Amino acid sequence: MMLYDLVKMKNEQHIFRMTDDTGMLQHAKYGVPDPTKGYTTDDNARALIMAVLLYEQRPVKRYETLIYRYTSFLLNAQNEDGWFRNFMGYDRRFIEERGSEDCFGRCLWALGFTISNEHVPVNIRRVAKYILDRALPNCSKLLSLRGKAYSIIGLGFLDSDQSKVIIRSLATSLAEEYYNHCREDWKWFEDVLTYSNAVLPWAMLVAFQATGEQRFKGIGLESLSFLEKHTFNKGYFKPIGCHGWFEKGGKPAEFDEQPIEACEMLLAYLKAYEITEEDGYLEKAKKCYRWYTGYNSKGVSLIDPETGGCYDGITKDGVNLNQGAESLISYYISILSMERFCSSSAEKYYYLSKWA
């Protein structure tokens, strides 16, 4: 009997409320989906990762349906030139000709993860590869650091000569940025810490796994340590606030704290743990998970016990009570990823019981 069979699922309902026959809606007003804000490819790419994790750990029809829904969204979002449109209105019309490079990279992350997962239906994997193959020529045109990083992470799931060549090229360009900006007291890729910071060291660790280049590992661990210094200096995880960021020579913005930062930091630590087998990285990942459940600057849980949704962050005045897609997905990817790395049945049950 699977461990899931011991747990009655109930708090997944917000996932299905936020997902209609087009894809996952972008925003919610409190716990109610807000159709006026439409959809984003960003959210549906991340939702695909979440759905694959759900299906991997419990292969039931409702999760398989989610995988088909989100994959179909990405198929629709891709242009003939391989780039992706991002913002879509509730009328199913995209409101831009091309999305950001970050969106492109997040799509590659989702596609690579989906292609590599043997639990995913074969037709989904074939479509994901079709979409990915059309996108690959654009990797050489990327300028965004995070677009490159997400792309490395996605391609890291694939074991092909082509993916390794692209990873090496993208990681080399990130390494050059790191060397250009790195100083004794500033071990980073830019002169400012902003959003999705953890994907940069995470990508360098993935690049090391794919290519074997030790310098990528060194940069990954060193930059992760630098980020940790500024986000764990109070003992618990406190991400860089999005209202002001953290410029070199200045001070980190206190708020707002975003759920996606805890998720991506957790995933970066899990990758570091996978590579080094040092328990300290796994313990930090657990603390990132606990940010959602109350081990944070306000000492409050961000999980709505009624819906199973995740609140949209921590502000200086408390919790933002809206429960949008990015927050919801970040929480579920975090908890499902932690379940993957648990070493005992007791630990697995602990994480499962948090979302069941």
Side-chain angles (χ1 to χ4, degrees):
M1 179 180 292
M2 294 178 63
L3 182 59
Y4 275 90
D5 294 330
L6 304 176
V7 185
K8 180 177 173 58
M9 306 284 288
K10 64 180 180 179
N11 272 357
E12 62 184 18
Q13 56 188 303
H14 197 54
I15 295 173
F16 291 92
R17 283 202 188 105
M18 290 292 289
T19 302
D20 62 14
D21 59 357
T22 298
M24 181 167 282
L25 290 155
Q26 181 180 11
H27 287 299
K29 178 61 69 176
Y30 302 116
V32 178
D34 183 359
T36 67
K37 302 301 189 295
Y39 317 81
T40 70
T41 302
D42 276 334
D43 289 332
N44 281 272
R46 287 183 286 236
L48 177 57
I49 296 169
M50 174 192 71
V52 170
L53 285 169
L54 285 166
Y55 189 72
E56 171 190 283
Q57 297 180 33
R58 191 167 191 245
V60 295
K61 195 68 177 179
R62 63 181 179 273
Y63 299 147
E64 182 185 67
T65 299
L66 291 177
I67 294 174
Y68 274 93
R69 188 70 41 80
Y70 304 139
T71 303
S72 181
F73 192 100
L74 297 192
L75 183 63
N76 185 35
Q78 190 172 42
N79 290 320
E80 288 297 321
D81 61 6
W83 295 100
F84 297 89
R85 295 166 291 180
N86 193 12
F87 293 98
M88 174 193 277
Y90 192 59
D91 60 0
R92 290 185 173 181
R93 296 182 180 181
F94 283 98
I95 59 177
E96 60 185 356
E97 293 184 3
R98 194 175 102 180
S100 68
E101 292 188 5
D102 290 7
C103 174
F104 176 89
R106 292 181 187 113
C107 288
L108 263 60
W109 173 23
L111 294 166
F113 182 68
T114 301
I115 293 166
S116 69
N117 195 296
E118 62 184 12
H119 301 277
V120 173
V122 65
N123 283 304
I124 291 290
R125 295 167 70 185
R126 286 170 178 163
V127 169
K129 187 176 187 306
Y130 167 78
I131 301 171
L132 181 73
D133 286 346
R134 296 176 72 199
L136 285 181
N138 294 314
C139 289
S140 62
K141 305 170 187 175
L142 292 171
L143 300 176
S144 160
L145 298 187
R146 286 157 185 80
K148 294 177 182 181
Y150 282 118
S151 297
I152 289 170
I153 291 164
L155 295 175
F157 290 106
L158 309 178
D159 185 19
S160 71
D161 292 339
Q162 183 184 26
S163 64
K164 291 176 182 178
V165 168
I166 296 173
I167 287 171
R168 188 185 301 275
S169 175
L170 294 176
T172 297
S173 69
L174 290 181
E176 290 172 356
E177 292 299 323
Y178 185 78
Y179 296 141
N180 288 338
H181 294 87
C182 181
R183 300 293 183 270
E184 185 62 33
D185 60 346
W186 189 264
K187 308 294 186 179
W188 199 242
F189 303 81
E190 305 172 285
D191 287 337
V192 59
L193 288 166
T194 57
Y195 65 96
S196 292
N197 295 302
V199 301
L200 296 171
W202 175 17
M204 298 307 289
L205 295 175
V206 171
F208 160 70
Q209 282 186 315
T211 67
E213 285 203 29
Q214 289 291 330
R215 62 172 179 148
F216 295 157
K217 177 182 177 182
I219 292 172
L221 294 178
E222 186 174 67
S223 58
L224 182 60
S225 177
F226 173 76
L227 185 58
E228 177 181 312
K229 175 183 176 181
H230 294 287
T231 55
F232 270 97
N233 54 10
K234 296 183 179 180
Y236 52 82
F237 178 62
K238 182 169 175 47
I240 305 299
C242 65
H243 289 168
W245 306 126
F246 176 23
E247 293 189 17
K248 183 167 65 174
K251 294 182 179 180
E254 291 288 314
F255 300 103
D256 291 355
E257 301 178 36
Q258 304 293 316
I260 191 172
E261 303 298 334
C263 174
E264 293 178 342
M265 193 72 166
L266 179 154
L267 294 172
Y269 277 128
L270 290 182
K271 181 56 67 176
Y273 173 68
E274 180 184 330
I275 289 173
T276 68
E277 298 184 343
E278 294 180 12
D279 290 340
Y281 290 121
L282 183 58
E283 292 306 309
K284 283 295 195 309
K286 291 178 181 179
K287 288 186 177 182
C288 289
Y289 165 74
R290 290 173 60 197
W291 178 89
Y292 294 99
T293 61
Y295 193 41
N296 53 50
S297 61
K298 295 292 185 181
V300 295
S301 174
L302 276 80
I303 308 308
D304 183 345
E306 179 180 306
T307 67
C310 178
Y311 298 127
D312 279 351
I314 300 175
T315 75
K316 65 179 181 180
D317 298 318
V319 173
N320 178 343
L321 295 176
N322 295 324
Q323 300 172 39
E326 181 176 284
S327 305
L328 170 71
I329 296 164
S330 295
Y331 174 62
Y332 271 86
I333 290 178
S334 295
I335 200 166
L336 290 163
S337 297
M338 287 306 304
E339 195 276 339
R340 264 183 156 194
F341 273 80
C342 289
S343 59
S344 69
S345 295
E347 275 192 307
K348 289 179 184 291
Y349 188 86
Y350 168 79
Y351 287 107
L352 284 167
S353 67
K354 293 300 180 180
W355 62 282

